Amino acid sequence: MSVIDVPEIPCVRFLSPEGVMLGDPPTSARKAERLIMLYRGMTLTRAFDKTAVRLQRGGSLGTYASSLGQEAIGVGVAAAMRPNVVLVPSFRDHGAQILRGVTLTELFLFWGGDERGSDFSGPREDFPVAIPVGSQAPHAAGVALALQRKTGERAAVCLLGDGASSKGDFYEAMNIAGVWSLPVVFVIVNNEWAISVPRPRQTAAITLAQKAWAAGFEGQRVDGNDVIAVQHVIAEALAKARANDGPTLVEAMTYRLADHTTADDASRYRDPVEVEARWSDEPLARLRKYLVAQGVWSKEQENELTAACLAQVDEAERAYLATPPQPPEAMFDFLTAALPPDLVAQRNLAMTTGESDA
């Protein structure tokens, strides 16, 4: 048996795990206030994440997917997006949603099973969270096609996990994006685990980025724990999309430090020693080391930021818990333009049942 040789795809990195800048940083990383904004975004994402897990454990949220260790990807992607770019997210992209303007209360509502959490007060054209694995990839291709035909100056960004890149939905979306040269950027968040399946057991591809070649467009790799590199690579890919130069696939390398979801126990299939070792590479510590070394971040600022983020999350938690639930008949209200007779009867029954329960 022969092994097919493939060209190496370098992994773009500007900031080392030790917080040292490697070479000349991109323009976006030369302003301290910009880097501090990214750090604030990641810190708030982690504070939200911790509270969401606590609320789930206490029975106030449904099953929740933690983004612990992956904050640089969501924040970096969103930081590279213009307001008119459409985000098509997966279920672990809280950082991107928060930076795009989705409120913490809306996110709590969504994970609490209340669809009003998908009625974003901020990014009105961004898609709601996709729970089915990979289903958002064709959606993103469709959005990109609509944008291409309507304006030719906008783009879509689709976030998905490494496990989703093994599904047919993904390949179909990639194929049509290449055929029609759609303005879309697919971002594979490679956290090395598809629930309990490690990446080498779900695909024989040497990299996930190279899957773009079969679809006829460019694949790139980026250090997903380096928020500077993520922002830079996504910004370049979006510029290419807006210039009508076609789609891009970006593989963002990271590691899932938490369980797959709160319904999972990763200790059953993952060595705790491996997980502990990966904490040294996590994105917040990396950027914080750099900011401290540059003299633009102090312990006092860190304490103030931590307190501010906790206060913001606490306020959102209180607002979420104080939100009255929707009445039972609400499940019918946006189902169809006009309810058929059988569903009208069911809606009336739901209203009657709700009144008697009250």
Side-chain angles (χ1 to χ4, degrees):
M1 183 182 76
S2 61
V3 177
I4 299 175
D5 291 329
V6 296
E8 181 179 352
I9 302 178
C11 186
V12 178
R13 171 189 285 178
F14 291 107
L15 198 60
S16 75
E18 295 75 30
V20 177
M21 190 66 71
L22 308 172
D24 293 329
T27 303
S28 59
R30 294 175 183 171
K31 294 183 178 180
E33 58 269 27
R34 180 70 176 178
L35 295 181
I36 292 173
M37 182 275 292
L38 296 175
Y39 184 66
R40 289 179 185 276
M42 292 193 293
T43 302
L44 179 59
T45 300
R46 186 165 292 185
F48 166 82
D49 193 86
K50 184 176 181 180
T51 297
V53 172
R54 174 175 57 78
L55 286 173
Q56 191 282 328
R57 298 307 190 201
S60 297
L61 284 187
T63 300
Y64 173 76
S66 172
S67 63
L68 184 64
Q70 302 179 195
E71 297 89 352
I73 298 175
V75 171
V77 166
M81 296 171 64
R82 294 180 179 179
N84 67 354
V85 175
V86 178
L87 177 68
V88 185
S90 181
F91 48 72
R92 211 182 301 276
D93 302 316
H94 326 302
Q97 291 185 287
I98 291 169
L99 208 67
R100 292 279 293 168
V102 177
T103 70
L104 303 185
T105 302
E106 289 165 348
L107 286 176
F108 281 139
L109 283 168
F110 171 80
W111 289 105
D114 192 325
E115 286 300 329
R116 288 175 293 183
S118 295
D119 186 15
F120 307 140
S121 56
R124 297 297 295 172
E125 293 184 315
D126 283 2
F127 270 45
V129 171
I131 296 298
V133 175
S135 65
Q136 72 273 29
H139 299 164
V143 169
L145 175 62
L147 296 176
Q148 183 186 65
R149 292 186 173 184
K150 186 175 182 180
T151 68
E153 299 175 352
R154 298 177 63 188
V157 172
C158 177
L159 284 156
L160 63 157
D162 49 289
S165 73
S166 297
K167 293 198 64 181
D169 316 53
F170 168 77
Y171 287 103
E172 291 173 9
M174 293 279 288
N175 181 67
I176 206 63
V179 169
W180 290 339
S181 192
L182 297 178
V184 59
V185 179
F186 296 101
V187 184
I188 300 175
V189 180
N190 182 2
N191 65 21
E192 301 189 22
W193 289 92
I195 309 182
S196 60
V197 181
R199 194 198 67 80
R201 290 184 58 190
Q202 58 167 299
T203 179
I206 297 174
T207 69
L208 302 183
Q210 73 194 57
K211 293 186 176 186
W213 300 341
F217 55 89
E218 182 183 12
Q220 295 188 30
R221 301 174 78 216
V222 65
D223 183 342
N225 290 340
D226 177 357
V227 69
I228 296 171
V230 173
Q231 176 183 278
H232 175 74
V233 169
I234 300 302
E236 287 194 334
L238 283 171
K240 186 176 75 170
R242 287 193 302 269
N244 228 6
D245 288 336
T248 304
L249 172 65
V250 177
E251 178 186 4
M253 313 295 295
T254 185
Y255 190 82
R256 195 192 78 209
L257 291 174
D259 297 329
H260 173 68
T261 68
T262 50
D264 175 45
D265 178 7
S267 66
R268 295 177 300 168
Y269 54 82
R270 204 165 59 170
D271 187 349
V273 175
E274 172 190 332
V275 179
E276 183 64 28
R278 297 304 290 263
W279 271 98
S280 63
D281 198 27
E282 66 99 350
L284 274 73
R286 184 185 300 201
L287 183 54
R288 182 169 59 247
K289 291 174 186 176
Y290 178 73
L291 294 173
V292 170
Q294 295 300 303
V296 297
W297 197 248
S298 64
K299 183 64 176 177
E300 290 73 21
Q301 288 172 297
E302 180 72 22
N303 291 338
E304 289 175 3
L305 174 60
T306 299
C309 288
L310 290 176
Q312 186 175 346
V313 175
D314 287 347
E315 181 180 0
E317 177 186 352
R318 288 193 295 272
Y320 160 64
L321 294 175
T323 302
Q326 291 182 293
E329 65 269 19
M331 72 179 80
F332 299 95
D333 290 344
F334 302 100
L335 193 60
T336 60
L339 284 178
D342 59 330
L343 291 186
V344 170
Q346 289 185 35
R347 186 180 188 279
N348 291 337
L349 179 61
M351 292 176 65
T352 304
T353 302
E355 291 173 359
S356 63
D357 289 346

